[in-house]
Amino acid sequence: MLPFNTIEEATTFLRRNLTVAETLWFNYSAQKSDYYLYCHNILFLFLIFTFVPLPLVFVETMRSLGFLKYKIQPKVKTSLSEMFRCYKDVMRMFVLLVGPLQLSSYPSIKMIGIRTGLPLPSMWEILAQLTVYFMIEDYTNYWIHRFLHGKWGYENIHRVHHEYSAPIGFAAPYAHWLEVLILGIPTFLGPAIVPGHMITFWLWIALRQIEAIETHSGYDFPWTPTKYIPFYGGADYHDYHHYVGQQSQSNFASVFTYCDYIYGTDKGYRYHKKVLRKLKVQSRIYGTQNGGSYYASTQDLKSE
């Protein structure tokens, strides 16, 4: 709740007029508690998990419209009932774990210093903090992900997420309950180290989930804006990781690719791309097709 009763009081405190954004924020948040504002995350997550994957559902079910050429594993088709079952499983986890966890974690948000007052952060401040959050989450998630691909971690926890060897948008948050808890640590670590405004925190939670859905989309669309982000992995990069499954010691990164490159855990993927390029050249020379499959040699790729 803002410590001002009127815009005039806020203007006096800031010693300047409020910006349009600050006026809108004042009108919305002045009489609302910080806890109420924090709980908006639950609504945002529900809306994101429900509506952001819907275009991908349409694309998957309406293959006759020409989207199949962008499908990374074109031989795999996920039915509408399978996607709806995945959504129900995700919502069950949301109701039983994610929602209560959000409601109960507010004291930690207050402790680290996420603020709700005025002034609002500048656009540059928001972008800088979001960049830091993504970098911290990506690096921490990388090592947790590698641990989960060990024998114990995979068999007891991570195998649930890999039930979808050809990922779909709804499966981005589909995981064992313990994995959901563990991977919450990298998500909150950035805001804990570099605390900012509640609006920045909202944006961070929303963008991280949207990024995960895009990464698990199963489609490599050429018009995706994230293709212009340096070192960004994307759907093509992460799809390979799901395809190889338990044996995968490649492409652990959640967002960027630099950790995989530095620690040498992208060798299988680079070999895979090399094979594809060779097959495409042969296809142009001999006029042949690679059997309609994105992945060339399953045995060779899985052995890397």
Side-chain angles (χ1 to χ4, degrees):
M1 184 177 295
L2 297 181
F4 316 114
N5 294 317
T6 65
I7 290 181
E8 288 71 22
E9 290 181 9
T11 300
T12 302
F13 174 80
L14 295 177
R15 297 181 180 179
R16 61 170 174 79
N17 292 327
L18 273 62
T19 65
V20 174
E22 287 172 336
T23 301
L24 292 172
W25 179 251
F26 178 90
N27 290 333
Y28 182 75
S29 66
Q31 301 303 316
K32 294 179 175 65
S33 69
D34 290 353
Y35 180 67
Y36 180 86
L37 294 173
Y38 169 70
C39 288
H40 281 50
N41 276 317
I42 300 174
L43 175 62
F44 296 152
L45 288 173
F46 171 76
L47 294 175
I48 290 169
F49 290 159
T50 300
F51 294 106
V52 172
L54 288 182
L56 298 171
V57 173
F58 175 80
V59 166
E60 182 69 13
T61 55
M62 301 296 290
R63 291 189 166 201
S64 61
L65 297 180
F67 292 111
L68 185 59
K69 62 184 176 182
Y70 303 121
K71 177 83 171 178
I72 300 172
Q73 298 187 49
K75 288 187 175 182
V76 180
K77 183 176 182 180
T78 308
S79 67
L80 190 60
S81 62
E82 289 174 319
M83 288 186 280
F84 183 63
R85 185 175 67 248
C86 179
Y87 172 73
K88 289 193 298 182
D89 290 338
V90 168
M91 282 298 105
R92 185 181 301 112
M93 186 69 70
F94 179 82
V95 172
L96 297 178
L97 180 64
V98 177
L101 185 63
Q102 289 279 323
L103 291 172
S104 61
S105 60
Y106 175 69
S108 64
I109 295 299
K110 290 295 291 183
M111 181 180 67
I112 63 179
I114 300 293
R115 64 186 184 88
T116 60
L118 295 174
L120 293 183
S122 67
M123 184 61 67
W124 290 113
E125 180 182 344
I126 292 174
L127 289 175
Q129 289 179 332
L130 289 176
T131 301
V132 171
Y133 296 170
F134 270 109
M135 295 294 290
I136 292 174
E137 192 279 340
D138 187 67
Y139 186 81
T140 313
N141 187 295
Y142 172 85
W143 290 106
I144 294 177
H145 197 178
R146 284 191 67 170
F147 164 76
L148 291 175
H149 269 268
K151 181 177 176 58
W152 185 92
Y154 190 91
E155 292 180 355
N156 292 280
I157 302 174
H158 195 50
R159 63 176 177 80
V160 175
H161 183 64
H162 273 271
E163 289 177 9
Y164 290 88
S165 58
I168 58 176
F170 277 129
Y174 179 82
H176 190 281
W177 66 267
L178 187 55
E179 181 171 348
V180 174
L181 286 178
I182 293 173
L183 292 182
I185 297 173
T187 301
F188 281 92
L189 193 56
I193 296 174
V194 187
H197 198 275
M198 184 65 74
I199 290 178
T200 307
F201 186 75
W202 287 350
L203 284 171
W204 160 237
I205 297 298
L207 289 174
R208 177 64 184 93
Q209 301 310 316
I210 292 171
E211 179 275 328
I213 292 170
E214 189 269 334
T215 300
H216 288 81
S217 68
Y219 286 83
D220 188 24
F221 297 117
W223 56 78
T224 304
T226 51
K227 286 184 176 291
Y228 300 100
I229 300 176
F231 306 107
Y232 185 82
D236 176 77
Y237 192 82
H238 193 66
D239 197 282
Y240 174 81
H241 175 83
H242 272 262
Y243 171 76
V244 180
Q246 180 178 4
Q247 301 175 61
S248 177
Q249 294 301 314
S250 185
N251 297 24
F252 294 113
S254 62
V255 183
F256 303 107
T257 62
Y258 69 95
C259 278
D260 282 311
Y261 180 80
I262 292 172
Y263 300 112
T265 49
D266 63 349
K267 293 180 180 178
Y269 177 72
R270 284 189 279 129
Y271 172 78
H272 152 68
K273 299 297 285 186
K274 180 180 178 180
V275 170
L276 282 183
R277 286 193 295 269
K278 182 178 179 180
L279 288 173
K280 288 179 180 179
V281 171
Q282 291 176 345
S283 177
R284 286 196 296 268
I285 293 175
Y286 300 108
T288 60
Q289 297 295 325
N290 181 30
S293 175
Y294 178 77
Y295 293 103
S297 171
T298 302
Q299 191 60 41
D300 287 344
L301 293 176
K302 289 192 175 185
S303 66
E304 286 299 303

